[in-house]
């Protein structure tokens, strides 16, 4: 469970940092009047939707951290046979990076009000994300054809399970991206569009990050890395 | 008002129940009276806290109940009091924890002179294996379980040949000798639990768990399964007899070793196994039906 | 001391910039509503309905335990199905849903001074997915093979094997699917509760002015958002094991004399995942109860909650600590024995902030002006049962003491006392307290008294003696206690007594349900603030609060939630939205 505990530590650190700005030491019975205006104790100035997405991403992060924990625990048992990571995944990673870059461009453009670039960015991001998903499916096909079936070894099971869940999250993101694209083409108010695009970009970057972590996990680098850390510690 | 009285009655009643009711632990038959003592310490500390809190509450309810013209005091907090209570609580918790951890370290560190006894759980019966003359248990694997080899002893391990196998029968132990119970399961989780011994541990398929104890009284004790293992769980009983050394040796002499048990069957051909397997499968499903019929 | 802005210089809080969703017809107003208050009621009604199923199941189990051999239709199979469904429904579909989905939805926006949740549409989806989860769960009663009988902990391998009811039928699949749905639905709701507290607070409502109810629900939701993924992971992996033949949790197994095509998996891995969720779950249920009971005690004792700051810190501390104690449920699971030292220590440490909360509740009573209303009675009863259950937790948390007691009736008695009875008593108190706000009428007092006394004393009489059965060594999850040396004849009488009490307590709940329905029409008119409470939900212009909660202008908050009996003030309470300074504005000497 060490991965998820480290993850929680990060969350707790973040929560602690936030709480430390909330005057938890104050004696509220001594304070009358509108103190919120004085010290800015009300909600954050960030848009609520972004905070909502942030909280959601923390939950998603926790989910994948737990999978990683389970992965390491299961890996320690004797029947584990690592599977060869398909070459294709490198290409897929590249495609997903492109997708993130495209959305980043769209989000910069949205801030500047360049609607044409926004549309281009959104379209590119959508297509590359789709390409990523197709690439993942092809990687699955390749593995099954080579005899690495879902149930034949836990390493395979984890591979399909984790990549599958990540893919589902991308699919969900595509729904959001579709709605944003509808805004972009139907001429939604620029403020609204900008927020939408920024939310998509945030989600995409996060899923890219999760993908990189998963990739490291499934290809065994994460385990090697942890081994090295452990040796350094002892 | 009634509530204040009832709160007092709850404290008095609970304390009286504790001391007067006939329901208390079964007389201990192992060395784990350490555990019993820890429980007693815990009862005292928690009992005092329970009584104190509830009686204080009863007093408050009685003394500060609403009457015309009353007004509550205004006191947001009292740092001194709160710190003081924290420290007292921490002291109480430490008083519980320290003996607890001390006994735990005894519980998990097996004395070197303990003899090993293997318990194998399966839906829904207990089997046992004792080391033979060489004093060593042979290795085992669930994958080697067959009708002839119900415990999955690995036949190629010479240590295993002289192991005494007790399939679905009573276990005997000599009194006064520490034993290390090695726990194994070939299907689901079980838990080897003899209330009089106080100790228990889950049996996990795929690994070997353990606990140790020294039987201190001769007699017959019931084994219960304490981890839900399917619908036959409450019927999964067994018997442990703690014998004098003499009786124990007599019993041991009557038991068969692994080599003896597997000798006649080993002449049979290998492809005979599937038929046998189904036969024993139907034996267990017959058991299941009797379970259902009850 | 912070500057006090003169009250009259403050402009009214502007209407929140979230565009309020407006219902257009009966369907969108009462069924597919996005108003948190309606969603709260939908959640509560659904949770209560499924909770009644769990109650009936507990009767059936008690029939079997109290009068063994009398009721043939309760086969071992059926008994295990009852146990499993009872446990799972009570913990997840009733308590979690009611505290967070029900109370959270109703109280958070009102108490923080918001017009609604921040994402009303997602909030509505949350309820409908929850309902779907409940329906899937219920459907397993009608599936071939019936519901799963794996125990609410669903431990593999037995959960997905033939020897367990529903293991190789639909039961376990439906259970896992239902849990997965529940978690998805809950996450949607949970995002709302958290972000509304973060962003939806009205002007002046700093964190340290929040009522403890909001603190409790908020912290519990944060915990739930982080803990439920563990259950999600466990469920998905088990579903793979069951349906697709993987071996995440399945070691090599001989079943019915045959080798299964599995191998290498670890049942302990499941247990870690399950309890990584399961322990925080206990506090997910307890923290809202802690918060609510603090407010009940303070309001009905007309006194500020003693040590508010300590209460807040304790809630946060408990929330954080409860993520590092999970393996105290696994002391005898066969995990590495050295973990015992660590987890026993963390578990007993968590007792300290919990104890502080108890002290502060009873110290709030000290020199109060205690109105023995029904909510107050329930709050007092909560303290008794919670202290009792919490103290037996010190037995089970202290690793070596847990060895003889684990998996016995002692455990059953302990967790019923601490996470069954205690939170339920708070729920009752809370319903008596807030019912007037929700409906505009008071619940009937006589029926309430009856309900209180029977429930409190009955539940105590059920579960207090049960500890001693466990001490004797009577194991839990046994439908047959015959032919057992530890089960003396007198113990069997005790069991029959417990069963009879269970029926009486259950009957009182039916009286309560009657009261809930009857009082909607016939209860005494309550007025806007019958308990003379300070928090914002009592200051709404209409009762029940209308759509948008606060009329034209949102309230502005000038003080904390506990200004009761302030020296110098005329009334013995000052609502949070009343300006002006009274009483202490300096540290008392
Ligand atoms: C008067 C009310 C209740 C009665 C009479 C009752 C009775 C029972 C009984 C007889 C069992 C089975 C014990 C065994 O043989 O192991 C049980 C198990 C359980 N109950 Fe209750 N119960 C009640 C309320 C609750 C509540 C409010 C909760 C909510 C937390 C709850 C949660 C559980 C759980 C989690 C289990 C364990 C299920 C399992 O072992 O898998 N019960 N209850
Ligand atoms: Cu068993
Ligand atoms: Cu726990």
């Amino acid at each position: 469970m060490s991965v998820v505990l480290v993850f929680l530590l990060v969350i707790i650190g973040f929560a602690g940092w936030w709480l430390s700005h909330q005057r938890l030491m104050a004696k509220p019975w001594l304070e009358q009047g509108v103190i919120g205006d004085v010290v800015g104790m009300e909600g954050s100035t960030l848009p609520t939707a972004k905070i909502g997405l942030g909280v959601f991403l923390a939950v998603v992060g926790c989910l994948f951290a737990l999978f990683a924990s389970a992965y390491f625990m299961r890996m320690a048992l004797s029947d584990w046979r690592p599977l060869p990571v398909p070459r294709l995944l490198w290409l897929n990673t590249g495609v997903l990076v492109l997708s993130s870059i495209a959305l980043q461009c769209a989000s910069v453009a949205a801030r500047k009000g360049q609607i044409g670039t926004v549309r281009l960015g959104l379209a590119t991001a959508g297509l590359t994300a789709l390409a990523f998903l197709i690439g993942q499916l092809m990687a699955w096909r390749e593995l099954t054809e080579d005899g690495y079936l879902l149930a034949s070894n836990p390493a395979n099971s984890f591979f399909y399970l984790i990549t599958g869940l990540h893919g589902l999250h991308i699919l969900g993101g595509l729904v959001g991206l579709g709605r944003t694209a509808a805004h972009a083409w139907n001429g939604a108010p620029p403020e609204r569009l900008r927020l939408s695009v920024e939310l998509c970009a945030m989600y995409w970057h996060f899923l890219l990050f999760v993908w990189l972590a998963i990739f490291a996990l499934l290809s065994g680098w994460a385990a090697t890395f942890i081994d090295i850390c452990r040796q350094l510690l002892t | 008002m009634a509530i204040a009285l009832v709160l007092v009655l709850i404290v008095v009643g609970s304390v009286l129940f504790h001391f007067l009711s006939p329901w208390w632990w079964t007389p201990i038959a192992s060395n784990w009276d350490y555990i019993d003592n820890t429980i007693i310490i815990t009862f005292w500390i928690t009992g005092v806290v329970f009584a104190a809190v509830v009686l204080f509450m009863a007093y408050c309810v009685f003394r500060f109940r609403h009457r015309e013209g009353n007004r509550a005091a205004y006191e947001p907090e009292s740092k001194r009091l709160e710190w003081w209570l924290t420290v007292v609580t921490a002291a109480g918790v430490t008083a519980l924890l320290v003996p607890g951890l001390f006994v735990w370290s005894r519980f998990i560190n097996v004395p070197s002179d303990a003899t090993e006894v293997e318990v194998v759980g399966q839906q829904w019966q207990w089997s046992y294996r004792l080391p033979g003359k060489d004093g060593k248990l042979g290795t085992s694997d669930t994958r080697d379980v067959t009708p002839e080899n119900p415990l999955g002893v690995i036949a190629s391990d010479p240590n295993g040949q002289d192991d005494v196998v007790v399939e679905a029968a009573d276990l005997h132990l000599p009194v006064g000798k520490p034993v290390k119970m090695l726990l194994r399961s070939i299907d689901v989780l079980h838990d080897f639990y003899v209330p009089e011994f106080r100790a228990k541990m889950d049996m996990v398929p795929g690994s070997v768990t353990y606990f140790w104890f020294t039987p201190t009284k001769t007699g017959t004790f019931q084994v219960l399964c304490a981890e839900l293992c399917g619908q036959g769980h409450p019927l999964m009983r067994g018997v442990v007899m703690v014998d004098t050394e003499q009786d124990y040796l007599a019993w041991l002499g009557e038991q068969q070793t692994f080599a003896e048990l597997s000798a006649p069957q080993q002449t049979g051909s290998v492809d005979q196994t599937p038929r046998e397997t189904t036969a024993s499968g139907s034996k267990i499903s017959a058991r299941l039906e009797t379970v259902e019929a009850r | 001391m912070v500057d006090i802005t003169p009250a009259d210089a403050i402009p009214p809080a502007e209407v929140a910039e979230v565009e309020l969703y407006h219902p257009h017809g009966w369907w969108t107003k009462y069924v597919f509503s996005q108003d948190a208050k309606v969603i709260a009621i939908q959640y509560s009604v659904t949770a209560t309905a499924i909770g009644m199923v769990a109650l009936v199941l507990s009767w059936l189990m008690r029939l079997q335990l109290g009068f063994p051999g009398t009721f043939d239709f309760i086969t071992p199979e059926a008994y295990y199905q009852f146990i499993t469904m009872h446990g799972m429904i009570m913990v997840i579909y009733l308590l979690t849903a009611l505290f967070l989905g029900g109370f959270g939805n109703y109280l958070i926006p009102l108490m923080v001074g918001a017009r609604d949740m921040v994402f009303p549409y997602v909030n509505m989806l949350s309820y409908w997915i929850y309902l779907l989860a409940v329906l899937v769960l219920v459907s397993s009663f009608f599936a071939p093979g019936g519901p799963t009988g794996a125990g609410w902990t669903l431990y593999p391998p037995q959960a997905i094997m033939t020897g367990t009811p529903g293991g190789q039928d639909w039961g376990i699949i439906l259970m896992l699917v239902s849990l997965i749905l529940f978690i998805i639905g809950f996450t949607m709701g949970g995002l709302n509760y958290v972000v509304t507290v973060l962003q939806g607070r009205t002007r002046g409502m700093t964190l340290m002015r929040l009522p403890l109810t909001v603190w409790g629900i908020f912290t519990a939701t944060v915990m739930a958002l982080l803990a439920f993924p563990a259950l999600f992971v466990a469920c998905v992996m088990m579903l793979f094991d069951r349906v697709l033949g993987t071996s995440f949790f399945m070691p090599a197994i001989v079943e019915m004399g045959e080798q299964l095509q599995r191998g290498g998996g670890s049942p302990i891995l499941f247990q870690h995942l399950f309890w990584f969720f399961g322990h925080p779950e206990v506090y997910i249920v307890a923290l809202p109860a802690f918060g609510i009971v603090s407010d009940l005690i303070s309001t009905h004792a007309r006194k500020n909650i003693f040590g508010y700051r300590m209460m807040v810190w304790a809630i946060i501390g408990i929330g954080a600590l409860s993520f590092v104690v999970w393996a105290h449920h696994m002391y005898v699971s066969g995990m590495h024995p050295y973990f015992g030292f660590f987890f026993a220590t963390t578990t007993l440490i968590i007792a300290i902030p919990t104890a502080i909360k108890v002290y502060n509740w009873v110290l709030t009573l000290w020199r109060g002006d205690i109105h023995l209303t029904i909510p107050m009675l329930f709050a007092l009863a909560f303290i008794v049962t919670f202290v009792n259950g919490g103290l037996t937790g010190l037995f089970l948390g202290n690793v070596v003491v847990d060895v003889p007691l684990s998996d016995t009736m002692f455990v059953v008695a302990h967790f019923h006392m601490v996470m069954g009875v205690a939170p339920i008593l708070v729920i009752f108190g809370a319903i008596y307290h807030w019912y007037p706000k929700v409906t505009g009428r008071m619940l009937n007092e006589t029926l309430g008294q009856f309900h209180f006394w029977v429930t409190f004393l009955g539940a105590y009489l059920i579960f207090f003696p049960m500890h001693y059965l466990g001490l004797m060594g009577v194991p839990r999850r046994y439908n047959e206690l015959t032919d057992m040396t530890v089960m003396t004849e007198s113990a069997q009488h005790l069991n029959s007594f417990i069963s009879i009490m269970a029926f009486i307590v259950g009957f009182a709940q039916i009286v309560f349900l009657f009261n809930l329905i009857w009082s909607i029409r016939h209860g005494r008119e309550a007025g806007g603030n019958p308990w003379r409470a300070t928090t914002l939900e009592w200051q709404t212009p209409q009762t029940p609060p209308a759509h948008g909660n606060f009329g034209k202008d949102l309230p502005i908050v000038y003080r904390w939630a506990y200004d009761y009996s302030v020296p110098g003030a005329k009334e013995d309470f000052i609502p949070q939205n009343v300006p002006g300074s009274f009483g202490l504005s300096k540290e008392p000497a």
Side-chain angles (χ1 to χ4, degrees), chain C residues 55 58-59 61-62 65 79 83-84 86-88 90-91 94-95 150-153 409 412 415-416 419-421 424 462-463 466 475-478 502 505-506:
Chain C
L55 179 68
S58 79
W59 287 347
M61 288 186 288
R62 280 317 318 182
L65 291 179
Y79 185 84
I83 253 198
T84 309
H86 163 82
M88 198 64 101
M90 285 290 191
V91 173
L94 173 70
L95 288 181
W152 88 283
T153 45
M409 291 311 264
V412 175
F415 71 67
H416 275 93
M419 84 170 299
V421 176
I424 292 260
I462 293 174
F463 292 115
M466 198 187 276
R476 74 189 273 207
R477 294 170 166 172
Y478 265 40
V505 170

Side-chain angles (χ1 to χ4, degrees), chain A residues 1 4-5 7-8 11-12 18-19 22-39 41-53 55-56 58-59 62-64 66-67 69-71 73-74 77-79 150-151 154 157-158 160-161 165 179 192, chain C residues 1-5 10 118-119 187 191 194-195 198-199 201-209 215 225-226 229-230 232-233 236-237 240 244-248 263-266 269 272-273 276 308-309 313 316 320 323-324 326 556-560 563 580-582 584-587:
Chain A
M1 305 299 279
V4 72
L5 286 179
F7 177 84
L8 278 186
I11 297 269
I12 287 177
W18 176 72
L19 283 172
Q22 300 296 323
R23 302 177 60 248
L24 288 195
M25 297 296 181
K27 297 183 171 165
W29 53 93
L30 296 181
E31 304 175 342
Q32 286 140 357
V34 180
I35 48 179
D37 289 350
V38 185
V39 267
M41 276 311 110
E42 283 145 7
S44 152
T45 47
L46 281 175
T48 302
K50 270 198 188 165
I51 301 206
L53 183 61
V55 176
F56 177 67
V59 177
C62 189
L63 182 76
F64 283 102
L66 280 156
F67 270 118
S69 282
Y71 187 87
M73 283 196 277
R74 186 66 182 79
L77 302 180
S78 60
D79 65 332
L150 172 73
S157 317
F158 268 111
Y160 290 106
L161 176 56
L165 255 143
R179 294 186 51 163
R192 180 96 176 250
Chain C
M1 184 72 201
V2 176
D3 301 63
I4 300 171
T5 330
I10 298 163
V118 286
F119 311 121
T187 305
L191 284 180
V194 170
V195 181
L198 292 181
Q199 292 294 84
R201 282 172 285 132
T202 187
R203 174 175 295 174
M205 185 59 98
T206 60
L207 283 195
M208 290 310 269
R209 281 177 174 178
W215 265 111
L225 286 175
L226 295 172
F232 187 90
V233 169
V236 171
M237 284 165 68
F240 268 53
L244 300 174
T246 55
S247 296
F248 289 121
S266 159
L269 170 57
H272 277 298
L273 289 172
F276 189 80
Y308 174 83
R309 300 191 302 160
W313 303 337
I316 297 173
F323 277 98
V324 287
W326 77 89
I556 301 175
V557 172
Y558 296 92
R559 57 190 68 251
W560 69 329
D563 265 346
S581 58
F582 304 87
L584 309 174
S585 52
K586 265 208 268 10
E587 194 78 30

Side-chain angles (χ1 to χ4, degrees), chain C residues 238-571:
Chain C
M238 179 127 85
L239 206 57
F240 268 53
D241 273 5
R242 167 68 182 77
V243 180
L244 300 174
T246 55
S247 296
F248 289 121
F249 306 131
M250 298 293 275
I253 286 173
V254 181
E255 189 190 34
M256 308 284 151
E258 275 179 77
Q259 295 275 358
L260 295 188
Q261 291 304 314
R262 309 292 185 106
S266 159
I268 305 262
L269 170 57
F270 177 89
Q271 298 183 18
H272 277 298
L273 289 172
F274 183 87
W275 289 114
F276 189 80
F277 144 78
H279 185 81
E281 170 64 25
V282 175
Y283 284 95
I284 291 165
V285 171
L287 287 184
F290 288 177
I292 290 173
V293 88
S294 309
D295 285 357
L296 296 187
I297 291 176
S298 167
T299 306
H300 295 270
R302 316 305 302 158
K303 190 167 167 248
N304 58 54
I305 191 76
F306 183 81
Y308 174 83
R309 300 191 302 160
M310 205 64 136
M311 294 299 250
V312 171
W313 303 337
I315 287 183
I316 297 173
I318 291 172
L321 272 176
S322 64
F323 277 98
V324 287
V325 298
W326 77 89
H328 63 206
H329 299 270
M330 299 168 58
Y331 288 146
V332 297
S333 72
M335 66 172 178
H336 197 291
Y338 284 164
F339 285 161
F341 293 108
F342 174 76
F343 284 102
T345 311
T346 51
T347 302
L348 265 68
I349 288 177
I350 223 177
I352 299 172
T354 313
I356 290 174
K357 296 198 72 84
V358 172
Y359 301 146
N360 284 358
W361 291 322
V362 293
L363 286 171
T364 302
L365 297 174
W366 179 253
R367 293 169 61 197
D369 175 25
I370 300 170
H371 292 245
L372 289 172
T373 55
I374 309 243
M376 184 58 153
L377 291 176
F378 273 110
L380 296 173
F382 161 82
I383 298 179
V384 174
T385 51
F386 182 76
V387 170
N388 191 295
L391 290 170
T392 52
L394 292 176
F395 289 68
L396 300 173
N398 200 353
V399 52
V400 81
V401 179
D402 182 59
V403 169
L405 297 178
S406 64
D407 278 303
T408 66
M409 291 311 264
F410 191 94
V411 176
V412 175
H414 154 73
F415 71 67
H416 275 93
M417 205 64 122
V418 78
M419 84 170 299
V421 176
I424 292 260
L425 290 175
V426 173
I427 287 181
F428 289 145
I431 292 178
Y432 284 92
H433 185 77
W434 278 295
Y435 188 87
K437 181 52 49 179
V438 180
T439 64
R441 289 172 189 273
M442 307 293 282
L443 280 165
N444 181 290
E445 170 90 14
T446 319
L447 293 181
Q449 289 277 351
F450 171 81
H451 176 222
F452 167 74
W453 287 107
V454 176
T455 306
F456 171 42
L457 294 179
Y460 195 83
L461 286 174
I462 293 174
F463 292 115
F464 181 75
M466 198 187 276
H467 290 96
Y468 291 83
L469 288 178
L471 203 61
M472 293 165 73
V474 179
R476 74 189 273 207
R477 294 170 166 172
Y478 265 40
N479 70 314
E480 278 221 350
L481 300 173
T482 42
D483 304 326
M484 268 169 60
T485 39
V486 290
M487 196 66 199
T488 56
E489 204 185 320
S490 65
Q492 187 51 50
H493 293 318
L494 180 61
N495 243 343
S496 312
F497 167 79
I498 290 177
S499 294
I500 293 169
M501 286 318 298
F503 273 88
I504 297 176
V505 170
F507 171 71
Q509 309 320 309
I510 293 169
V511 172
F512 172 62
L513 282 188
F514 170 77
N515 194 354
L516 282 181
I517 296 167
W518 187 80
S519 301
I520 292 180
R521 293 201 168 277
H522 306 279
R524 191 159 51 78
E525 292 263 2
N529 190 358
W531 310 115
R532 301 153 54 77
T534 56
T535 41
L536 291 182
E537 81 273 23
W538 299 104
Q539 324 304 335
T540 56
Q542 293 102 345
T543 296
H547 188 61
N549 291 348
F550 290 103
K552 198 170 128 290
D553 294 325
L554 283 177
I556 301 175
V557 172
Y558 296 92
R559 57 190 68 251
W560 69 329
Y562 298 97
D563 265 346
Y564 289 103
S565 305
V566 179
K570 197 157 122 282
E571 298 274 357

Side-chain angles (χ1 to χ4, degrees), chain C residues 78-144:
Chain C
Y79 185 84
Y80 287 117
Q81 295 172 327
F82 296 165
I83 253 198
T84 309
M85 296 309 263
H86 163 82
M88 198 64 101
I89 291 176
M90 285 290 191
V91 173
I92 304 223
Y93 299 86
L94 173 70
L95 288 181
T96 310
L98 194 55
F99 268 125
L100 302 181
F103 286 97
N105 262 317
Y106 204 90
L107 294 177
I108 289 177
L110 279 165
M111 282 187 153
V112 305
R115 298 208 177 275
D116 204 330
M117 287 289 182
V118 286
F119 311 121
Y121 182 75
V122 180
N123 203 19
M124 175 185 81
L125 276 187
S126 158
Y127 168 71
W128 290 101
I129 296 179
Y130 165 65
L131 182 65
L132 186 64
V134 170
L135 292 178
V136 171
L137 187 78
V138 170
S139 75
S140 73
F141 280 101
F142 306 101

